[in-house]
Amino acid sequence: GVSELLASMDVALSADPLEIRSMTVPQSEGGVLAALGSGARISERTFEGGDVTMQVEGPASLLARYRRFWQPDGGHSDAEQQ
């Protein structure tokens, strides 16, 4: 029933927690921007030159794929703490 569904959701959510990262992605990386746009929530976005700097909230597994675009300090926080 419902309690089993909630237990399954808890396991799934804790297996891939939400994170918030600051990222800078070149506009030429359209595939990366599309993946982040469809699989994460972008709360801030600024354009400078050929780069897009974003505050991104999404599953840790998705954001880790694009680690090379993280800001130097990582801009990291667990979404659950906010």
Side-chain angles (χ1 to χ4, degrees):
V2 172
S3 60
E4 290 85 8
L5 175 61
L6 292 173
S8 295
M9 290 171 60
D10 282 343
V11 169
L13 290 173
S14 62
D16 197 8
L18 292 178
E19 292 185 351
I20 298 173
R21 295 279 177 179
S22 296
M23 304 174 76
T24 299
V25 181
Q27 290 184 36
S28 61
E29 294 283 348
V32 173
L33 294 169
L36 292 171
S38 66
R41 186 176 69 86
I42 300 172
S43 59
E44 297 176 26
R45 184 182 341 220
T46 58
F47 297 87
E48 186 172 331
D51 293 333
V52 183
T53 299
M54 305 173 285
Q55 188 80 9
V56 182
E57 177 181 0
S61 62
L62 173 67
L63 300 185
R65 284 185 226 155
Y66 305 110
R67 182 181 313 263
R68 67 190 181 276
F69 299 112
W70 291 359
Q71 292 290 315
D73 65 359
H76 173 265
S77 67
D78 291 327
E80 296 172 6
Q81 294 176 347
Q82 295 186 357

